[in-house]
Amino acid sequence: MQQVTLTVNGREVTAEIDERTLLLEFVREVAGFTGAHNGCLEARCGCCAIEVDGEITKSCNVLAVQVDGAEVTTVEGLAPQRLAPVEHVTTQSLAGMYAPLEAVRTRAEDLHPLQEAFHRCHALQCGFCTPGMLMVLKGHLEENPEPTRDGVRHAIAGNLCRCTGYQHIVDAAMEAAEVMRGDAPVPADG
Amino acid sequence: MTEAPPRTAGPGPAATGPRLVGTSVPRKEDLALLTGTARFIDDIRLPGMVHATILRSTVAHARVRSIDTAPARAVPGVLDVLAGAELVGKVKPWGDLMQDLLVGDHFPFATDKVLYEGQELAAVVAGTRYQALDGCEAVAVDLEELPAVVDPEQALRPDAPLVQERIVYEFGEGNVFDRYRVRVGDFAAAERDAAVVVRQRFTTNKQAGAALDPHGCVASHDPFTGVLTLWSSTQSVYMVRDVLADVLQIPRTKVRVMVPEVGAGFGSKAQMFGHEVIAALFSMRLGRPVKLVLRRDEIFRAGTTRNSQVRYAELAMAADGEITGYRDYVVHNTGAMSVWGNQVVHIGTNVGMLPYPIPNVHVDSDIVHTTTAPGGPLRGFGIPQTVWAKEQLVDMAARELGLDPLAVRERNVVDPATFPYRTPMGQVIDSTSIKQCLTACAEAIDWAAKRAAPVPHEGLGLAVSMKYTSCRHPSLDTDLSAVRLRLETDGTVTIYSSDVSHGQSHATMLSQIVADGLGVGIEKVTLAPPDSMTAPFGLGTYASRGAAVLGTACRLATERLRDKVLAIAAHVLEVGPGDLDTGNDRVFVKGLPDSGIYLEILAATAAYRTHQLPPDFEPTLETVATYDTPTEREASDGSGNLSVTYSGAAHAAHVRVDPETGRVTVVDYAMVHDTGTVINPLVVEGQHQGGFLMGMGMALSEDYVYDENGHQLNASFKDYLAVTAPEVPELTRMSEIPAPSTTIPGGQKGAGESGTGPVPAAIGNAVLDATGIRFTALPITPQRMLTALREKERRGVETLRYPDDMPDFTGPRCPDEWPSPTAAEADDFDFDFDFDLDPEEGA
Ligand code: FES
Ligand code: FES
């Protein structure tokens, strides 16, 4: 057993852990952020991708003890004000006011541009690969503010998605890049 | 009665008719999934929960001498250990529980014999997963290895090792589990009169669903109530509940199955598995919640796979290109055991004949066991296998007759003067636009111009299919889904359904239907999580049945709810129900959309002010509807209308083959579909794109590779080549030509699998066009391509069928009469393919 301290999404977490504990397991089971997923534990599917000291990392490929003291951001840290999904429920007084289509959309400022674009472009089906895709694309877009479709495809070559055929994921990344550059107005209603 | 304020936003006051159905409403499911707050099976944590792990066989076929679990009990942290011997007589074997052919071939652990690598031998539960793994290592296993049988044709031989020794099959013997046949028309006559009969032996691969979210469950038995609660990553609540209760011999009321988010299934989670029984048993023994989530290698080895097939297929064509007959002998490899495997060949063959109304069809199939991973359903359910053979034969016949493959297909696809139209195979086509889809798809890929100006190493290929929309399985005389709706007293609506959404967007799609039907805002509609304690009985989510079958149940329940709501409003407003309309969360007098009574007022009346209800009105606003499709059972000649309606798919592939590396690149791909009335276009587009991905994996890279001992050599994403983003072409040449179903009230057709069926065949036809090589085996790997190219050059021929080049063959009926295929060279699938491979020394 060894003591490890990590800062996960801004919260400092210290624990005595089995040395075999993977960073992914620390984040999920010790820190309690289950957004990063275990899809293979062989560094192939990318579902476990998180940011470790600014680097996007497959967290199943690292032992927690190796990164003692690190600063970690998971998908939960992308939109901290949205830690729980809020079902928007109108009351009678609002009934004449809302527009049904807009009500199921979230307000853009709540989410990271990538999350917003994934939602708009239907870039997730089962959503299991999504947290890893978001983190890897965040890294890619921060380094490549003017991405190409091909570049995006190669950036996510280490992330599997069995549902979408990747097309809408690439669409979403391109749209998000525009928003992140500030070229595109934040879409008001998609 | 309440006056509503004037609307300031949103759709206009014309509240009748569909408003949301047909629009790409962004999904209700997304927020939780995007923010990491969605809860999948491995995210569930209960107080006092402990962890179980399964010890699996590392050999494929063996006699069990002994399994000693005692040493595991001594490992620190280990709480309990289970193996097969102590369960015999206490736990009931299962298999295809609900079919005529009742087979108890499944048991939580191997008892006397191991039948495939990865089969369960023992399981350990401990305080942590690592302790459980340590416990598994301590179990002493003594196995006597037996010869494996990997090849399904080898399994047919009288001297083959017998896989299932204990089970006496009704229709088969030896390793033949079941037999299937189709006798429609007279193939012999078609053969006599044909201008050309083309024949070829084709093989298909064992593909994995490889849903990224692992199979797994959490079992929690409450000793006080006696209720066993099982959270499971499954596609079907009731399949798991009913089979699990039966296996454990407890009442179905004492098993509660709940389903968290499920990270896809593609058919691979459409049954109950051993791990669900094991977790349940541990929890019942310990009185604690037990989590058991499988690792990736376990899922590869012991999950279900696409059934591989060997097909001796023949197609007869008249001089004008009319397809007059199809004959096939199919060796269908269903692995060591199977729940759904034998159904695949029935439905895959029956529906796989479409979109051609072939008058003479003659098919025999032996469904065989091998010592490989269990076969089962996977996106396409037998259709891609049939289409792979049939659509290549269509091209072969067209070439022999000097006809354009496009023209031949246009001549043959079902295009009746009137609907419904019954094909010779028995399918009732209630509507289709397949011919227009085909033409549009050829235009989208620029068929005529590109074929007029061929580019070296590039080629075009077409394939068409029509896919079932749900199915009355030959073994399961039912095809139903159900929905219960409740209008809550605050005007929100809860939908209850047991058909698990695992990527299909049920919450959005069903809410669109309810919102339109009831005039309620979509954000007020919620889909309750699937739970056998609350949801009405339904079969589950598979076979592309969500939009059409579940959607219809939802539509019916909505109509019933609307009738009840109108009855109360009519009573309160003292008008006839026919004078009323719904919209904007209100019921209003037609023509006065800005007035009316809010739904929540009516719901509250129905629950809390029952004196104000119409006389004889049964209080509360809750309705349930079950929809069972008007499909037929399979007839003894194999014919029948097994599906309520059929979705059309016309695909065109443009490929480039690199002669240096052997790599096939899909440069461009066009898909035109008939999915009937589409509820959410963006969702359906996503289904087609995902379907394509799975078809592309089947065509080019995905396969189970076994050595002769039955060891799977690629049970990991390192070696199992799932398709990645850079390999996929831009999927923008996609369109819909909707021919709404006339049987399904809303006009929907199944979307989930249309994108998969034609892909391997379209790519195969394009590869022939590019290289002159007709691939007869899947997947078309770089190494196979290099070998084939070299063989073609060595022989100095224009075209070559690879690996089975059998030009002398003339119409035999059983495998013994087939000439031996002349495979060019050893055909090992090199899954560690190195793209720098020198073609001279390749293979
Ligand atoms: S779980 Fe880490 S890459 Fe798959
Ligand atoms: S959305 Fe299901 S794996 Fe990507």
Side-chain angles (χ1 to χ4, degrees):
Chain A
M1 298 298 267
Q2 192 173 326
Q3 179 170 313
V4 168
T5 300
L6 291 173
T7 308
V8 186
N9 298 326
R11 192 195 301 168
E12 198 177 284
V13 183
T14 303
E16 284 277 322
I17 55 167
D18 186 315
E19 289 82 350
R20 292 177 284 186
T21 306
L22 303 171
L23 175 56
L24 175 65
E25 292 169 326
F26 188 95
V27 165
R28 288 174 51 83
E29 282 153 36
V30 182
F33 291 96
T34 56
H37 295 146
N38 160 11
C40 70
L41 293 191
E42 355 175 279
R44 289 287 157 164
C45 74
C47 294
C48 63
I50 60 175
E51 195 176 270
V52 183
D53 287 335
E55 290 286 318
I56 303 298
T57 305
K58 286 179 176 171
S59 61
C60 71
N61 211 21
V62 182
L63 294 173
V65 294
Q66 285 175 284
V67 291
D68 191 9
E71 185 109 17
V72 168
T73 307
T74 70
V75 69
E76 286 96 331
L78 275 190
Q81 58 278 67
R82 270 287 185 181
L83 275 181
V86 178
E87 268 298 315
H88 174 94
V89 176
T90 54
T91 61
Q92 184 180 323
S93 60
L94 284 173
M97 307 288 286
Y98 68 84
L101 284 184
E102 276 141 35
V104 290
R105 284 180 191 145
T106 160
R107 284 175 305 133
E109 61 267 28
D110 286 350
L111 295 178
H112 188 279
L114 271 164
Q115 291 170 311
E116 167 70 11
F118 265 56
H119 180 51
R120 237 177 10 249
C121 298
H122 185 38
L124 64 158
Q125 290 181 21
C126 78
F128 194 79
C129 69
T130 309
M133 288 281 181
L134 289 169
M135 295 310 288
V136 167
L137 284 170
K138 172 178 180 281
H140 182 67
L141 297 187
E142 281 169 2
E143 278 169 31
N144 302 275
E146 312 235 353
T148 61
R149 292 187 70 90
D150 208 42
V152 168
R153 284 182 184 275
H154 281 93
I156 56 170
N159 291 64
L160 295 178
C161 173
R162 294 292 280 173
C163 296
T164 63
Y166 304 105
Q167 184 74 18
H168 288 169
I169 294 178
V170 181
D171 292 348
M174 298 305 287
E175 277 201 33
E178 266 183 56
V179 175
M180 286 166 74
R181 283 198 304 268
D183 291 5
V186 174
D189 63 359
Chain B
M1 187 178 160
T2 313
E3 276 286 318
R7 298 181 59 81
T8 53
T16 48
R19 299 174 301 148
L20 298 181
V21 167
T23 63
S24 296
V25 178
R27 298 199 317 165
K28 293 174 77 77
E29 304 60 3
D30 285 356
L31 266 182
L33 297 167
L34 284 166
T35 50
T37 50
R39 199 186 297 148
F40 292 88
I41 192 68
D42 202 16
D43 303 337
I44 293 179
R45 218 157 318 156
L46 301 178
M49 188 174 81
V50 290
H51 300 267
T53 310
I54 296 172
L55 175 69
R56 294 177 183 273
S57 174
T58 54
V59 300
H61 196 197
R63 192 85 48 206
V64 176
R65 283 212 200 93
S66 69
I67 295 173
D68 182 9
T69 57
R73 292 183 184 277
V75 171
V78 168
L79 300 166
D80 197 5
V81 189
L82 271 174
E86 61 189 297
L87 297 182
V88 174
K90 297 187 186 138
V91 165
K92 203 172 140 188
W94 73 100
D96 215 336
L97 185 82
M98 291 170 279
Q99 82 170 5
D100 302 343
L101 185 75
L102 191 91
V103 179
D105 55 355
H106 287 59
F107 201 68
F109 301 102
T111 50
D112 53 335
K113 224 176 92 163
V114 170
L115 304 180
Y116 61 98
E117 185 192 24
Q119 195 174 359
E120 300 88 345
L121 296 177
V124 176
V125 61
T128 71
R129 211 168 28 242
Y130 288 113
Q131 290 169 334
L133 282 169
D134 292 343
C136 277
E137 273 182 27
V139 174
V141 174
D142 185 9
L143 301 177
E144 173 195 340
E145 201 167 347
L146 299 170
V149 54
V150 173
D151 180 321
E153 288 185 294
Q154 299 278 333
L156 284 172
R157 306 212 327 213
D159 58 342
L162 189 59
V163 183
Q164 291 276 7
E165 287 176 348
R166 290 255 187 114
I167 296 168
V168 182
Y169 292 117
E170 201 175 342
F171 304 109
E173 69 282 311
N175 286 322
V176 176
F177 161 69
D178 196 6
R179 294 205 158 89
Y180 166 69
R181 50 187 249 158
V182 180
R183 295 289 183 272
V184 168
D186 180 356
F187 181 83
E191 186 178 26
R192 208 173 41 238
D193 299 338
V196 61
V197 178
V198 284
R199 306 182 163 94
Q200 184 55 48
R201 176 186 189 268
F202 291 101
T203 60
T204 69
N205 39 350
K206 235 166 141 63
Q207 185 184 18
L212 296 183
D213 182 20
H215 293 56
C217 63
V218 176
S220 179
H221 183 251
D222 180 339
F224 180 67
T225 60
V227 172
L228 169 73
T229 302
L230 187 83
W231 287 264
S232 186
S233 188
T234 182
Q235 295 175 227
S236 176
V237 169
Y238 284 103
M239 258 183 235
V240 171
R241 188 200 69 165
D242 290 5
V243 180
L244 183 59
D246 197 54
V247 166
L248 299 174
Q249 300 283 286
I250 55 179
R252 289 170 193 207
T253 48
K254 298 290 185 201
V255 180
R256 176 183 198 180
V257 175
M258 292 200 271
V259 182
E261 293 295 330
V262 176
F266 314 112
S268 72
K269 293 176 180 169
Q271 66 186 64
M272 191 202 64
F273 288 90
H275 65 263
E276 288 162 313
V277 183
I278 293 168
L281 287 168
F282 275 140
S283 181
M284 291 165 90
R285 284 157 65 114
L286 294 175
R288 296 176 74 167
V290 174
K291 182 189 273 191
L292 207 179
V293 177
L294 304 192
R295 294 184 313 272
R296 184 54 53 189
D297 61 312
E298 297 182 272
I299 298 165
F300 270 115
R301 293 207 164 93
T304 59
T305 73
R306 194 186 289 288
N307 298 73
S308 68
Q309 294 181 342
V310 182
R311 304 190 79 115
Y312 292 87
E314 307 166 68
L315 184 124
M317 190 177 276
D320 62 357
E322 187 191 346
I323 301 169
T324 55
Y326 181 84
R327 182 165 59 187
D328 209 342
Y329 168 67
V330 187
V331 183
H332 181 81
N333 178 4
T334 196
M337 54 177 68
S338 174
V339 169
W340 288 102
N342 70 330
Q343 306 295 300
V344 170
V345 73
H346 288 245
I347 291 163
T349 303
N350 175 306
V351 181
M353 289 301 116
L354 287 172
Y356 308 127
I358 306 176
N360 305 293
V361 182
H362 184 116
V363 179
D364 289 286
S365 178
D366 286 330
I367 298 151
V368 302
H369 284 308
T370 54
T371 56
T372 63
L378 182 59
R379 207 165 192 169
F381 207 80
I383 309 280
Q385 292 97 312
T386 306
V387 170
W388 161 248
K390 190 194 61 176
E391 282 294 286
Q392 293 207 89
L393 289 178
V394 169
D395 262 38
M396 288 161 71
R399 272 165 208 272
E400 289 216 13
L401 292 171
L403 301 171
D404 177 15
L406 172 61
V408 164
R409 288 187 172 82
E410 281 176 333
R411 193 197 184 298
N412 283 287
V413 292
V414 57
D415 184 28
T418 55
F419 294 101
Y421 166 77
R422 193 184 272 272
T423 66
M425 197 66 201
Q427 298 108 357
V428 176
I429 309 300
D430 66 345
S431 70
T432 188
S433 62
I434 186 68
K435 191 166 181 180
Q436 295 90 311
C437 291
L438 177 59
T439 309
C441 159
E443 271 167 27
I445 205 83
D446 210 3
W447 177 260
K450 279 187 186 162
R451 284 186 37 108
V455 177
H457 310 303
E458 293 193 16
L460 295 187
L462 291 171
V464 283
S465 73
M466 276 167 82
K467 251 277 320 184
Y468 53 80
T469 295
S470 194
C471 223
R472 187 161 297 256
H473 281 259
S475 66
L476 207 62
D477 184 16
T478 171
D479 187 17
L480 65 82
S481 280
V483 159
R484 187 147 51 82
L485 285 182
R486 192 193 298 142
L487 181 59
E488 309 287 359
T489 50
D490 62 353
T492 58
V493 181
T494 313
I495 306 173
Y496 296 90
S497 152
S498 57
D499 291 2
V500 178
S501 186
H502 49 289
Q504 294 82 354
S505 320
H506 286 182
T508 305
M509 184 248 315
L510 297 178
S511 298
Q512 287 177 263
I513 292 172
V514 171
D516 276 359
L518 208 57
V520 65
I522 189 170
E523 80 294 345
K524 290 195 169 184
V525 188
T526 301
L527 175 64
D531 178 348
S532 66
M533 279 296 190
T534 58
F537 180 86
L539 297 179
T541 305
Y542 56 87
S544 309
R545 56 204 311 277
V549 182
L550 179 63
T552 299
C554 185
R555 184 190 171 95
L556 295 174
T558 307
E559 282 168 6
R560 286 173 195 172
L561 187 56
R562 184 175 193 269
D563 287 347
K564 294 187 94 169
V565 165
L566 290 187
I568 306 176
H571 181 71
V572 173
L573 294 171
E574 297 179 344
V575 294
D579 300 326
L580 295 173
D581 204 348
T582 55
N584 306 334
D585 295 338
R586 270 171 279 141
V587 180
F588 53 86
V589 176
K590 277 181 184 160
L592 297 171
D594 292 335
S595 67
I597 313 179
Y598 281 108
L599 293 173
E600 61 216 74
I601 306 284
L602 295 169
T605 303
Y608 299 134
R609 293 185 285 277
T610 56
H611 255 97
Q612 296 177 23
L613 291 172
D616 301 328
F617 188 96
E618 191 177 322
T620 75
L621 287 171
E622 190 161 319
T623 56
V624 59
T626 305
Y627 180 66
D628 189 17
T629 62
T631 39
E632 298 168 354
R633 298 215 71 185
E634 182 185 65
S636 59
D637 64 0
S639 70
N641 185 45
L642 307 182
S643 172
V644 58
T645 185
Y646 298 86
S647 324
H651 288 197
H654 176 180
V655 305
R656 183 188 305 128
V657 177
D658 183 338
E660 300 294 314
T661 62
R663 204 182 143 95
V664 178
T665 305
V666 182
V667 184
D668 204 355
Y669 202 86
M671 303 189 251
V672 182
H673 290 110
D674 161 24
T675 317
T677 303
V678 166
I679 295 174
N680 190 316
L682 204 55
V683 165
V684 167
E685 190 177 296
Q687 289 292 319
H688 293 329
Q689 289 162 343
F692 166 79
L693 178 99
M694 204 138 277
M696 185 177 159
M698 180 175 171
L700 297 177
S701 61
E702 297 183 30
D703 197 4
Y704 272 54
V705 182
Y706 287 100
D707 68 12
E708 71 272 24
N709 298 320
H711 292 298
Q712 191 196 346
L713 302 177
N714 61 344
S716 125
F717 278 132
K718 276 205 247 347
D719 303 320
Y720 182 90
L721 299 178
V723 180
T724 61
E727 300 162 64
V728 183
E730 289 291 335
L731 296 172
T732 49
R733 291 184 214 287
M734 292 181 62
S735 55
E736 287 282 336
I737 302 182
S741 166
T742 55
T743 320
I744 295 292
Q748 305 93 296
K749 293 180 177 178
E753 297 161 282
S754 283
T756 309
V759 182
I763 291 177
N765 283 333
V767 163
L768 179 279
D769 193 36
T771 61
I773 295 163
R774 170 70 62 197
F775 270 86
T776 63
L778 285 172
I780 306 171
T781 61
Q783 182 178 15
R784 282 180 175 161
M785 175 61 80
L786 286 178
T787 313
L789 285 171
R790 236 188 357 259
E791 178 67 8
K792 180 170 164 262
E793 203 180 304
R794 189 180 69 76
R795 294 199 198 176
V797 289
E798 273 296 290
T799 58
L800 175 76
R801 302 179 192 183
Y802 180 85
D804 292 331
D805 195 23
M806 37 173 51
D808 299 320
F809 152 62
T810 51
R813 284 154 186 282
C814 72
D816 291 348
E817 299 169 47
W818 286 79
S820 318
T822 56
E825 267 174 53
D827 181 43
D828 292 337
F829 175 20
D830 181 0
F831 53 85
D832 264 330
F833 186 74
D834 172 2
F835 287 109
D836 297 322
L837 186 72
D838 178 350
E840 290 312 312
E841 63 182 28

